[in-house]
Amino acid sequence: TKTECVAKLESLKESVAPATAVKIKADMPFGEWVEFWYENYSKPMLRPSSQRSYEDFIRLYIRPKLGSVPLNKLTMNDLQQFFNWMRKDGRTLHRESRGGGLSDNMVRNCHSLCRRALEKAVAERLIVKNPIEECKAPPIRRKEMHLLSREELQKLLIQARAEGYYEVFLLELTTGLRVGELMALQWDDLNFNTGELRIERQVYRTKEELLIQEPKTKASIRTVILPPPVVEALKEYKKTVSSQWMFPSPKKEDAPLAPAAASHRLSKILSHAGCKKVRFHDLRHVFATNALEHGMDVKTLSTVIGHVSSATTLNVYAHVTSDMQRQAAARIDRGIGKAEVAESTSIAKSMSTMTDFRPIRERKRRWGTGSLSKNQNGQWVGRYTITWPDGRLETRKVYAATEEECERLLAAMIADMKSEVAAEKERPTAENRAS
């Protein structure tokens, strides 16, 4: 019979499978199934950064809590309790500063991973029904957008020009590119005659290096048209750049500026200009909001910023489109009733004002005093590089909790390094000793 044949086929598969192979069966532990699904169906399609996230979900949360439950015994209640635990007490790192529970976004991502793994189990007929279907994932709560005012935008660009990053932020504010897309731009992507800018790659960092790949979605591969003044500004800027990258790294040859470096520079420029702190991604929101408020339709904006659909754009910028509807209603009312606009609300008047802000010149460190920076852990890092008599370069570092302490440790380290080099220079060579 067919039933006997299927049973014998499964027995045959197990007999010829390598000893180390995972035995795929309905009562296998859920943790093993998720691992198998990830390695064979999910991992090959993911970027390195996404692979790390999936592996962390499996290692830190799924394996410890659900790993031993048989796949065909896993219930909706098991999964719901698991997600509730993640929200209340699932955090393993930074519990003191961030609390015990994980963010709704983390729980939603883990929910999505489990859902897809179980959908594959249903497709493979290991289970009859996906138990996660009735589980509630945390709702999407969009973060509040932090937008810059017109005066703050002017101050940002003025300060950016003083610090040598004017073109970076000018292009961002007129295109709304993702920071990885902006950093991945090459000069060949821009047609100076037509103003067409082609976006077809993205840069992002793994733990080891910067990687450049195609964007995740087809919608992200697009062409935008730059305003003529921006094209002229980039044409002048190109004369100062000797790299294929539009915004090259100042530290590494033939490499783009890292997205994290651009975000760090934005933070410093905003601080110097006296503006409120925003993320680099918020500049994308600034562009989109301004575009909608000045008449760009949602479909066009969706194409320009690389959303998969206009529905995504409408969801993200619903507050702006609501304002546009109110303005449209007011215009209809004025057209019917011939009402006049109060001068105080005139867009032309508000747009004509200019700031009198003067840029703050960043204090440059004197040559020979090393460099100071902050690492990802919030520590201050002091660096100094010295040349030994044999031409060898050596860099040393000191770490401290405060800038003042780091300056003190750095000065002491530099003095020690200079003393060592001086002593090396005075030491007689083997040839001199022999003579």
Side-chain angles (χ1 to χ4, degrees):
T1 65
K2 181 179 179 181
T3 303
E4 291 176 322
C5 188
V6 169
K8 289 187 176 182
L9 178 59
E10 293 301 320
S11 176
L12 178 61
K13 286 181 181 178
E14 290 187 9
S15 66
V16 299
T20 57
V22 177
K23 301 295 189 295
I24 304 302
K25 48 188 179 179
D27 61 350
M28 68 187 298
F30 179 60
E32 289 187 14
W33 168 252
V34 172
E35 289 272 12
F36 177 82
W37 167 83
Y38 167 70
E39 291 291 341
N40 293 276
Y41 298 106
S42 182
K43 185 177 180 179
M45 318 256 278
L46 297 175
R47 297 184 176 191
S49 57
S50 298
Q51 289 175 9
R52 284 203 312 274
S53 296
Y54 279 48
E55 289 161 9
D56 286 344
F57 281 131
I58 295 170
R59 176 175 57 87
L60 297 175
Y61 312 119
I62 297 174
R63 275 281 198 180
K65 287 293 180 179
L66 297 175
S68 61
V69 180
L71 176 60
N72 60 355
K73 300 294 183 182
L74 188 67
T75 66
M76 179 273 289
N77 197 39
D78 295 329
L79 290 162
Q80 192 66 62
Q81 289 183 12
F82 168 62
F83 297 130
N84 292 342
W85 167 80
M86 289 186 69
R87 294 186 70 181
K88 292 179 181 178
D89 199 39
R91 187 177 298 280
T92 56
L93 300 174
H94 310 295
R95 289 178 66 93
E96 296 79 9
S97 59
R98 300 182 184 178
L102 292 164
S103 68
D104 287 350
N105 193 45
M106 287 280 285
V107 179
R108 285 186 63 83
N109 289 339
C110 192
H111 182 283
S112 175
L113 186 157
C114 292
R115 176 179 54 77
R116 282 179 286 152
L118 289 167
E119 284 174 351
K120 188 63 180 176
V122 173
E124 294 291 324
R125 298 183 179 180
L126 297 173
I127 56 177
V128 177
K129 182 181 178 181
N130 188 342
I132 208 171
E133 288 178 355
E134 297 179 9
C135 284
K136 292 183 178 179
I140 297 176
R141 291 187 178 92
R142 298 196 179 276
K143 291 184 178 179
E144 181 183 355
M145 295 181 191
H146 298 285
L147 305 180
L148 298 175
S149 66
R150 175 176 170 76
E151 182 179 5
E152 286 175 318
L153 290 176
Q154 292 173 1
K155 291 166 70 174
L156 165 63
L157 291 175
I158 291 170
Q159 185 65 39
R161 186 187 291 277
E163 299 188 25
Y165 285 81
Y166 173 72
E167 290 77 14
V168 173
F169 297 105
L170 175 66
L171 189 55
E172 173 60 25
L173 291 169
T174 51
T175 60
L177 299 183
R178 300 175 180 92
V179 62
E181 296 171 341
L182 186 67
M183 296 303 106
L185 290 175
Q186 297 181 354
W187 288 112
D188 288 344
D189 299 328
L190 175 58
N191 185 325
F192 284 101
N193 295 323
T194 63
E196 294 178 320
L197 180 66
R198 182 69 177 166
I199 296 97
E200 55 187 21
R201 71 188 72 82
Q202 185 172 336
V203 59
Y204 63 96
R205 176 171 288 285
T206 65
K207 287 184 178 179
E208 297 78 21
E209 59 181 341
L210 283 179
L211 295 179
I212 293 107
Q213 290 188 353
E214 284 189 358
K216 286 184 178 180
T217 64
K218 290 183 179 179
S220 295
I221 301 174
R222 61 201 187 278
T223 299
V224 300
I225 307 297
L226 302 183
V230 176
V231 176
E232 289 302 316
L234 291 175
K235 189 178 294 185
E236 290 300 312
Y237 165 68
K238 188 176 186 300
K239 298 175 183 177
T240 66
V241 179
S242 57
S243 172
Q244 64 172 331
W245 301 101
M246 196 172 288
F247 305 113
S249 169
K251 296 182 179 180
K252 191 174 181 181
E253 188 177 355
D254 193 31
L257 186 67
S263 296
H264 178 67
R265 177 55 59 174
L266 171 63
S267 180
K268 293 184 68 174
I269 290 174
L270 290 171
S271 176
H272 295 161
C275 300
K276 62 176 171 283
K277 187 176 181 180
V278 299
R279 305 166 302 164
F280 204 105
H281 194 75
D282 289 322
L283 300 184
R284 177 172 164 87
H285 294 322
V286 170
F287 162 77
T289 301
N290 285 336
L292 287 171
E293 289 179 344
H294 289 87
M296 183 180 289
D297 64 273
V298 173
K299 178 61 179 175
T300 301
L301 176 62
S302 177
T303 302
V304 169
I305 62 179
H307 281 165
V308 174
S309 70
S310 300
T312 304
T313 310
L314 283 168
N315 287 335
V316 176
Y317 300 106
H319 66 293
V320 187
T321 52
S322 295
D323 291 342
M324 291 168 62
Q325 289 174 2
R326 283 191 288 271
Q327 292 170 10
R331 284 195 293 270
I332 293 171
D333 181 56
R334 288 197 299 272
I336 296 173
K338 297 185 178 179
E340 294 183 1
V341 185
E343 188 175 351
S344 61
T345 61
S346 168
I347 294 176
K349 182 177 180 180
S350 65
M351 293 293 286
S352 63
T353 56
M354 288 292 290
T355 181
D356 57 358
F357 171 74
R358 295 292 178 267
I360 298 171
R361 301 294 174 181
E362 192 173 9
R363 180 170 61 87
K364 300 293 184 181
R365 296 185 65 86
R366 290 184 295 108
W367 184 86
T369 60
S371 65
L372 249 64
S373 63
K374 256 187 173 181
N375 63 17
Q376 293 181 342
N377 297 324
Q379 285 182 306
W380 284 91
V381 183
R383 296 177 179 82
Y384 186 70
T385 301
I386 200 166
T387 305
W388 287 81
D390 61 1
R392 173 173 51 90
L393 292 177
E394 181 183 359
T395 300
R396 296 182 190 175
K397 302 177 183 179
V398 292
Y399 299 87
T402 65
E403 184 178 4
E404 294 75 15
E405 183 186 4
C406 196
E407 285 280 19
R408 180 176 57 78
L409 294 175
L410 179 60
M413 183 185 71
I414 292 173
D416 290 343
M417 293 175 73
K418 288 182 176 179
S419 297
E420 292 176 23
V421 170
E424 183 69 19
K425 288 180 179 178
E426 292 177 0
R427 184 180 301 169
T429 63
E431 184 179 342
N432 290 337
R433 288 197 296 270
S435 62

